[in-house]
Every structure is written in structure tokens, then in C-alpha cells.
Amino acid sequence: MCGIVGYVGNKQALTVVVDGLRRLEYRGYDSAGVAVVQDHKLEVRKKAGKLVNLETLLGTDPLPNSTTGIGHTRWATHGGPTDTNAHPHVDNDEKLAVIHNGIIENYTELRTQLEAKGHKFSSETDTESVAHLLSDL
């Protein structure tokens, strides 16, 4: 079962989000990722495997300080448990990040339509289609 954490406030978002993901570890997952916004720029880090893998990545490739962030732990449904398939997923302009629990039944049709409009997908997930669909509005 996946987990989603979001934070907007006065504290450092990454600390709040990672602590929240840690509290959800008991639910089981195969990858984890986070995104923060700083100076109107979206930064994403994600890693297959346990949360400790993401924390190790954040130690070597830190995110900027931010008071706005989201995080996700994922069980693979569409696409394997890889770094690329971990959430969050972004649109081509990297202005929108999406995390999601569940299955998007018509994602293949959405993906085909969006690719025909020039959207470039980087994962095998159904969730990425939502990021591209929203950016197309």
C-alpha cells in the first residue's frame, strides 16, 4: 500500500515529509520520492527500494531548503520498482509534480494522445500521464 505526505508551512518541508514517509513504512512499498518548491523551481529526488536509499541520495544530492513539499512511497502497479518509475512524476516543463495512489484505467489512451501532442514520457507509470494531462490544460 502506498503512502502520501504533503506539507506547506513554516518548517523545512523535507524534514516533515521524510518523517511522515518513515511513519508509513509499515504499510509496505518498493520505492520512495520527494519534491520541494524553492524560488518557483521544482526539485525532485526519488529512489527504488527502501526509504533509506532515498535518504542516502538526499545526503549526496540534497534538495534546497523549502517550506513546501510532497512525498510518496509506492508499490509498483504500472512499471517496475525503479528509480524512474518512483513518484513524484513531473510534466515536461518540470513545473508540476504528481503523486497518486490507485490505478488510472485509461492511462494508455491518455499517454497515446499526449505523446501525439509532443509530450515526452520518462516512466512506465500511469501516474505520469496525469502530470502531462494537467500541464496540457
Side-chain angles (χ1 to χ4, degrees), residues 31 46 74 78-87 89 122-125:
S31 60
K46 48 194 191 170
R74 171 185 187 254
H78 293 95
T82 65
D83 293 352
T84 303
N85 288 336
H87 295 204
H89 291 286
S122 62
S123 79
E124 303 167 308
T125 68

Side-chain angles (χ1 to χ4, degrees), residues 31-43:
S31 60
V34 292
V36 299
V37 177
Q38 179 65 317
D39 296 326
H40 304 286
K41 186 173 185 328
L42 185 62
E43 294 276 345

Side-chain angles (χ1 to χ4, degrees), residues 6-133:
Y7 178 78
V8 176
N10 295 321
K11 299 178 184 179
Q12 288 302 311
L14 186 60
T15 302
V16 175
V17 169
V18 171
D19 286 348
L21 293 177
R22 193 172 295 110
R23 291 178 187 189
L24 295 172
E25 282 188 292
Y26 74 94
R27 296 165 57 114
Y29 62 97
D30 58 35
S31 60
V34 292
V36 299
V37 177
Q38 179 65 317
D39 296 326
H40 304 286
K41 186 173 185 328
L42 185 62
E43 294 276 345
V44 176
R45 304 290 185 276
K46 48 194 191 170
K47 201 75 180 153
K50 296 296 179 189
L51 185 58
V52 69
N53 296 351
L54 176 62
E55 291 173 306
T56 300
L57 174 64
L58 291 168
T60 60
D61 189 11
L63 287 169
N65 290 333
S66 175
T67 58
T68 304
I70 59 175
H72 188 268
T73 54
R74 171 185 187 254
W75 270 121
T77 54
H78 293 95
T82 65
D83 293 352
T84 303
N85 288 336
H87 295 204
H89 291 286
V90 297
D91 66 315
N92 288 144
D93 296 327
E94 296 184 2
K95 293 187 184 235
L96 174 73
V98 175
I99 53 179
H100 152 259
N101 289 349
I103 295 173
I104 299 165
E105 297 290 339
N106 65 335
Y107 90 98
T108 303
E109 293 85 359
L110 290 172
R111 183 176 179 136
T112 300
Q113 292 169 7
L114 290 162
E115 286 175 330
K117 291 181 173 184
H119 290 265
K120 304 292 183 209
F121 283 71
S122 62
S123 79
E124 303 167 308
T125 68
D126 55 343
T127 301
E128 188 181 3
S129 63
V130 173
H132 292 284
L133 183 63

